[in-house]
Amino acid sequence: EVLLVESGGGLVQPGGSLRLSCAASGFTFSSYWMHWVRQAPGKGLVWVSRINLDGSSTNSADSVKGRFTISRDNAKNTLYLQMNSLRAGDTAVYYCARGFYGSSSDYWGQGTLVTVSS
Amino acid sequence: QSALTQPASVSGSPGQSITISCTGTSSDVGGYDYVSWYQQLPGKAPKLMIYEVNNRPSGVSNRFSGSKSGNTASLTISGLQAEDEAYYYCSSFTSSSTLVFGGGTKLTVL
């Protein structure tokens, strides 16, 4: 069974940092692109970032470029999102998702809530 | 990258068909056959319903179908059922090698 379990969310002050993790199991992690997608409370889905199989190539939304860094550790079957210079507008549930046919995501975690507030 | 444009809400009666549109530009929807559709129930993670414009993942009902014409993609649900009531989101690959979602459409089954 494919499982994606996010962790690391919580309350952080504006300007602070947080690192999210996504533990993957039930599939060959190193064979899939991975994505982070976020959803502010009561709002729609927003794509954040993606990473290729070995971590050598990443893409990110303009809204997080220069502040967020996606990475992966294939030996640990874990995806990461390092978030710096956090703003109130970054408050959201953050989902990790497995890439499917390049641009889709077929399995999603349950999400982890990040709240940026003083 | 601006979000793709979806209607805020659509509705239909059980057994009817509905269509949700997703409008982008030639730099996203119109430029690539990489449009996906997701269903999201309240408090749940999204579920992939359609990938690459018109392909259904294993296990998704054939009542769900996708299409594209120019810069607009569409999701059609036929034989509407109460369990289809949810939010639906489209997404597309873009010329910047990023992805973009639509704003979401709330489907109400009357």
Side-chain angles (χ1 to χ4, degrees):
Chain A
E1 179 191 10
V2 172
L3 274 180
L4 297 169
V5 180
E6 301 95 338
S7 61
L11 176 64
V12 60
Q13 292 188 338
S17 297
L18 213 54
R19 189 176 83 155
L20 305 183
S21 299
C22 171
S25 61
F27 65 101
T28 303
F29 181 69
S30 58
S31 297
Y32 291 84
W33 286 67
M34 296 295 295
H35 300 259
W36 285 101
V37 175
R38 70 184 182 184
Q39 186 170 34
K43 302 297 184 181
L45 301 173
V46 176
W47 178 81
V48 174
S49 192
R50 70 170 185 167
I51 189 167
N52 71 344
L53 305 188
D54 64 3
S56 61
S57 177
T58 65
N59 302 101
S60 295
D62 287 345
S63 58
V64 306
K65 205 170 290 185
R67 299 188 301 124
F68 291 12
T69 302
I70 188 173
S71 63
R72 65 192 298 163
D73 185 335
N74 286 343
K76 295 183 177 180
N77 292 339
T78 302
L79 175 72
Y80 301 102
L81 185 67
Q82 177 66 44
M83 305 186 295
N84 300 329
S85 303
L86 283 161
R87 310 164 179 167
D90 296 319
T91 294
V93 172
Y94 284 74
Y95 295 100
C96 69
R98 188 178 82 166
F100 184 69
Y101 278 83
S103 64
S104 304
S105 293
D106 60 347
Y107 284 93
W108 297 61
Q110 84 289 347
T112 186
L113 177 62
V114 172
T115 303
V116 184
S117 174
S118 55
Chain B
Q1 181 68 50
S2 299
L4 306 176
T5 301
Q6 298 181 231
S9 64
V10 298
S11 62
S13 299
Q16 290 186 330
S17 294
I18 64 94
T19 297
I20 300 172
S21 62
C22 170
T23 302
T25 69
S26 58
S27 295
D28 39 64
V29 174
Y32 308 91
D33 286 336
Y34 292 136
V35 176
S36 306
W37 288 91
Y38 298 90
Q39 176 193 68
Q40 188 178 33
L41 299 171
K44 299 295 186 181
K47 175 186 177 182
L48 180 64
M49 306 302 285
I50 296 288
Y51 67 97
E52 292 185 347
V53 176
N54 56 14
N55 295 282
R56 280 187 311 276
S58 175
V60 172
S61 170
N62 59 9
R63 297 186 298 105
F64 292 83
S65 62
S67 63
K68 192 185 83 168
S69 177
N71 296 337
T72 298
S74 299
L75 172 71
T76 298
I77 308 174
S78 59
L80 208 56
Q81 299 178 1
E83 67 200 49
D84 299 332
E85 187 163 291
Y87 279 88
Y88 291 85
Y89 295 90
C90 62
S91 76
S92 175
F93 183 74
T94 82
S95 59
S96 301
S97 295
T98 61
L99 300 180
V100 61
F101 280 94
T105 299
K106 182 177 182 180
L107 168 62
T108 300
V109 180
L110 302 171

